[in-house]
Amino acid sequence: MLTQRDPHAPAPAGPRSAGLATAGRSATAGHSAAAGRSANTGSAGISHGAAGTTAGHTAAAGVTIGRTDAGSAAAGGGTARCRAGVGTSAAPDATAAGRTAAAAALAALGTGTPALIVVYASVRYRLADLLAGVRSITGEAPLVGATSSGHFANGALAEPGEGVAVLALSAGPYRFGVASATGLRADAFGAGLSIARAARAAAEPGEAPHSAVLLFADGMAGNQQTLLNGVHRVAGSAVPVAGGAAGDDRRLAETFVFHDGAALADGAVAVWINSPHPLDVPVEHGWRPVSLPLLVTRVDGSVVHEIAGRPALEIWREHFDHEPIDEKLRTSRFAGYHSAHAFGLIEPDGTELIRGVFVDGADRLRTFTPLPPYSAVQIVTCGQDDLLGITDRVVARSAGSPAAAHRRHEPSVLLVFSCVARLDILRERGAEEARRLQTAAGALPTFGFYTYGEFARTTGVAGYHNATVAAIAL
C-alpha cells in the first residue's frame, strides 16, 4: 500500500484504500476507487450524491460517476447564463486553505446551488484535508480538478508549491456528467473508454445538440495520448476535449486528480458537458520551426534513434551548430527546467503538436511523449516573446471568436490549460502569461493551471500537447 507523504512532516499522510466504488449518500469525506489509490481521509467509504445536488451512480469496476441533479436548470435545458465564482488561498493549513478558497468562490458565485466545482492545488498539501475543507463549504456538488505546478485565477499566478484555487460554476444552460477511473498505467485506453461512457451517461437524460469533455489525468501515469484515444472512441470527432495532466510542483514524483473528496493517483476524471451551443477549444503554442519537415525512421517508445535514416542526435546538432545543444537538452531531464527546443509533430491539417525533447545518460534523444513511427516532424524552438505572443489569439478564439458572437453565447469563465514547460522557459516573466490572458479577456474571469501536458482535441484523434496553451469558455 502506497502512502502520500506530506513534505512538511516525517510521517505519511495516511494510507490509500482500494475497492469497488459504490454509490450512495454519506457525510464522510473519504473515498476509495476500484483498483486505485486515493489520498487518505481517515475513512474507507465513498459517497456520490445528495438530495437536490447530485445523483450517484456506479458503472463498471474502477469507474465512479455522478451527475447534475435532474431538477437543475442544466438538466432542464435552461437558457440562463452559467455563473462563475473564483476563490483562492495560500494558507499553510490544508483544511483552512480549502475552506477559505471555497467560501470565496461561493461568495463570488452569488445565489443558487453550484453544479460543478473545479479545484487546483499544490501537492504540498495533505490533499484529503484540503478536499474535505472545500466540500465542507460546497457540499455535495460534483468536484473535479488536479494537483498543479502553479495555477492562476483572474490574472494572478500562484507559483509552483503555493496555494489552492477553487472555481464554482452554476449549471446555466449546461448539463454536467462526471466520472473517474484508475488504472491508467495498466490500461490507459480502457480508462478513457470507461470515463467517457460513464460521464456521457451521467450527463443525460436527453440529447444535447452540442457537447464537450473536460479531462484531467495523473501526469505521471501512462501514455496520455492513449487515454485520449479511448475518450475519442466514445466521443467521436464532433466532441472537443480540453484539459490537462496533473503536476506536482515540478517534483516529477507523484501527481493526483480530484473527484469529489478523493485524490486519485494513476487515475483520470472526465466532465461531459451537454450544451445548447458549440464549445470551442482553441490551442496555440508560439513555437517556430528551424528545420524542414523530417521523417522519424526509427523510434522505440520515447527514444528517437533515427531521423531520415541518420542518428537523431546528429541531425539535431546540425541544426544548432552555433550552440551547445547536447548540454541544453541534458538539463531538461531535471525537474524545474525545460529546454526551449522541441519536436513539432506535423498533423494532417498542417498544425503541429509540440513534443518536448531531452538527451538521456546514454546519449539517446528522447521525447516526453512517444512519437509514432514514420511520423513527420520539424525541429522547433521558441523565445519568451514567442510564447507570450499567443495569449490574445487564445482568448479571441474561445471567448471572443466570431463563432461565439454568432451563437450569442456570453461566457462566464475562461478555463485555461498551460504547460509548466512554458513557465520554465518564461522564467522571470512567468507571471506575465496569466496577466496577459486576463487583460485579453477583460471582465471575463480566467481560471487555469500549469500542467504536465495539455488535452486539446478538436477534429482529429490526436490532441495531447506539450508546452502549449488550450482553453474553453463556459
Side-chain angles (χ1 to χ4, degrees), residues 153-175:
N154 297 332
L157 172 67
E159 296 279 358
E162 295 182 4
V164 56
V166 175
L167 169 69
L169 286 172
S170 68
Y174 305 121
R175 186 163 55 245

Short mmCIF file of all heavy atoms in Angstrom, two decimals, residues 153-175:
data_model
loop_
_atom_site.label_atom_id
_atom_site.label_comp_id
_atom_site.label_asym_id
_atom_site.label_seq_id
_atom_site.Cartn_x
_atom_site.Cartn_y
_atom_site.Cartn_z
N ALA A 153 -5.64 32.55 -11.35
CA ALA A 153 -7.04 32.95 -11.33
C ALA A 153 -7.12 34.46 -11.49
O ALA A 153 -6.41 35.20 -10.78
CB ALA A 153 -7.70 32.52 -10.03
N ASN A 154 -7.93 34.90 -12.44
CA ASN A 154 -8.14 36.34 -12.66
C ASN A 154 -6.82 37.09 -12.85
O ASN A 154 -6.65 38.21 -12.37
CB ASN A 154 -8.94 36.94 -11.52
CG ASN A 154 -10.33 36.35 -11.43
OD1 ASN A 154 -10.89 35.90 -12.43
ND2 ASN A 154 -10.89 36.31 -10.23
N GLY A 155 -5.87 36.46 -13.53
CA GLY A 155 -4.62 37.12 -13.88
C GLY A 155 -3.52 37.03 -12.85
O GLY A 155 -2.41 37.50 -13.10
N ALA A 156 -3.81 36.43 -11.68
CA ALA A 156 -2.80 36.32 -10.62
C ALA A 156 -2.23 34.91 -10.59
O ALA A 156 -2.98 33.94 -10.48
CB ALA A 156 -3.41 36.68 -9.27
N LEU A 157 -0.92 34.78 -10.67
CA LEU A 157 -0.25 33.49 -10.69
C LEU A 157 0.12 33.05 -9.28
O LEU A 157 0.70 33.82 -8.51
CB LEU A 157 1.02 33.57 -11.53
CG LEU A 157 1.96 32.35 -11.49
CD1 LEU A 157 1.30 31.14 -12.14
CD2 LEU A 157 3.29 32.67 -12.16
N ALA A 158 -0.21 31.80 -8.95
CA ALA A 158 0.33 31.14 -7.76
C ALA A 158 1.46 30.25 -8.23
O ALA A 158 1.25 29.32 -9.01
CB ALA A 158 -0.76 30.31 -7.06
N GLU A 159 2.67 30.54 -7.82
CA GLU A 159 3.84 29.81 -8.27
C GLU A 159 3.76 28.33 -7.84
O GLU A 159 3.03 28.00 -6.89
CB GLU A 159 5.10 30.43 -7.68
CG GLU A 159 5.36 31.86 -8.14
CD GLU A 159 6.01 31.93 -9.51
OE1 GLU A 159 6.30 30.86 -10.09
OE2 GLU A 159 6.22 33.06 -9.99
N PRO A 160 4.49 27.44 -8.51
CA PRO A 160 4.53 26.04 -8.07
C PRO A 160 4.87 25.94 -6.59
O PRO A 160 5.79 26.61 -6.10
CB PRO A 160 5.63 25.44 -8.94
CG PRO A 160 5.61 26.26 -10.19
CD PRO A 160 5.28 27.65 -9.74
N GLY A 161 4.09 25.14 -5.86
CA GLY A 161 4.29 24.98 -4.42
C GLY A 161 3.43 25.89 -3.58
O GLY A 161 3.52 25.86 -2.35
N GLU A 162 2.58 26.69 -4.24
CA GLU A 162 1.77 27.66 -3.49
C GLU A 162 0.28 27.43 -3.69
O GLU A 162 -0.19 27.32 -4.81
CB GLU A 162 2.09 29.09 -3.95
CG GLU A 162 3.51 29.54 -3.66
CD GLU A 162 3.73 30.98 -4.08
OE1 GLU A 162 2.76 31.63 -4.54
OE2 GLU A 162 4.88 31.45 -3.98
N GLY A 163 -0.47 27.33 -2.60
CA GLY A 163 -1.90 27.58 -2.55
C GLY A 163 -2.84 26.67 -3.30
O GLY A 163 -2.48 25.64 -3.87
N VAL A 164 -4.11 27.10 -3.26
CA VAL A 164 -5.23 26.38 -3.87
C VAL A 164 -6.14 27.40 -4.52
O VAL A 164 -6.28 28.53 -4.05
CB VAL A 164 -6.00 25.55 -2.81
CG1 VAL A 164 -6.49 26.43 -1.67
CG2 VAL A 164 -7.19 24.82 -3.44
N ALA A 165 -6.76 27.01 -5.64
CA ALA A 165 -7.74 27.85 -6.33
C ALA A 165 -9.00 27.02 -6.55
O ALA A 165 -8.92 25.84 -6.94
CB ALA A 165 -7.19 28.35 -7.66
N VAL A 166 -10.16 27.63 -6.32
CA VAL A 166 -11.45 26.94 -6.45
C VAL A 166 -12.35 27.74 -7.38
O VAL A 166 -12.48 28.96 -7.24
CB VAL A 166 -12.13 26.78 -5.08
CG1 VAL A 166 -13.53 26.17 -5.23
CG2 VAL A 166 -11.28 25.93 -4.15
N LEU A 167 -12.96 27.03 -8.32
CA LEU A 167 -13.96 27.61 -9.22
C LEU A 167 -15.30 26.95 -8.94
O LEU A 167 -15.40 25.72 -8.93
CB LEU A 167 -13.56 27.37 -10.69
CG LEU A 167 -14.62 27.68 -11.75
CD1 LEU A 167 -14.88 29.18 -11.83
CD2 LEU A 167 -14.19 27.12 -13.11
N ALA A 168 -16.32 27.77 -8.72
CA ALA A 168 -17.69 27.27 -8.56
C ALA A 168 -18.50 27.71 -9.77
O ALA A 168 -18.51 28.89 -10.13
CB ALA A 168 -18.31 27.82 -7.28
N LEU A 169 -19.18 26.75 -10.41
CA LEU A 169 -19.99 27.02 -11.60
C LEU A 169 -21.44 26.67 -11.34
O LEU A 169 -21.74 25.60 -10.80
CB LEU A 169 -19.49 26.20 -12.79
CG LEU A 169 -18.20 26.60 -13.48
CD1 LEU A 169 -17.80 25.55 -14.50
CD2 LEU A 169 -18.36 27.95 -14.15
N SER A 170 -22.35 27.55 -11.74
CA SER A 170 -23.76 27.18 -11.77
C SER A 170 -24.03 26.45 -13.08
O SER A 170 -23.21 26.50 -14.01
CB SER A 170 -24.64 28.42 -11.65
OG SER A 170 -24.53 29.23 -12.81
N ALA A 171 -25.16 25.80 -13.17
CA ALA A 171 -25.45 24.99 -14.35
C ALA A 171 -25.73 25.84 -15.57
O ALA A 171 -25.20 25.59 -16.66
CB ALA A 171 -26.63 24.06 -14.07
N GLY A 172 -26.56 26.88 -15.41
CA GLY A 172 -26.94 27.66 -16.58
C GLY A 172 -27.52 26.76 -17.65
O GLY A 172 -28.38 25.93 -17.38
N PRO A 173 -27.04 26.88 -18.89
CA PRO A 173 -27.59 26.06 -19.98
C PRO A 173 -26.96 24.67 -20.07
O PRO A 173 -27.33 23.89 -20.95
CB PRO A 173 -27.24 26.88 -21.22
CG PRO A 173 -25.95 27.55 -20.85
CD PRO A 173 -26.07 27.87 -19.38
N TYR A 174 -26.02 24.37 -19.19
CA TYR A 174 -25.25 23.14 -19.33
C TYR A 174 -25.79 22.01 -18.45
O TYR A 174 -26.43 22.24 -17.44
CB TYR A 174 -23.78 23.38 -18.97
CG TYR A 174 -23.15 24.51 -19.74
CD1 TYR A 174 -22.61 25.61 -19.08
CD2 TYR A 174 -23.09 24.48 -21.13
CE1 TYR A 174 -22.04 26.66 -19.79
CE2 TYR A 174 -22.53 25.52 -21.85
CZ TYR A 174 -22.00 26.60 -21.18
OH TYR A 174 -21.44 27.63 -21.89
N ARG A 175 -25.46 20.79 -18.86
CA ARG A 175 -25.71 19.61 -18.05
C ARG A 175 -24.38 18.88 -17.91
O ARG A 175 -23.75 18.51 -18.90
CB ARG A 175 -26.77 18.71 -18.70
CG ARG A 175 -27.19 17.53 -17.87
CD ARG A 175 -28.50 16.92 -18.35
NE ARG A 175 -28.44 16.55 -19.76
CZ ARG A 175 -29.20 17.11 -20.69
NH1 ARG A 175 -30.04 18.09 -20.37
NH2 ARG A 175 -29.11 16.72 -21.96
#
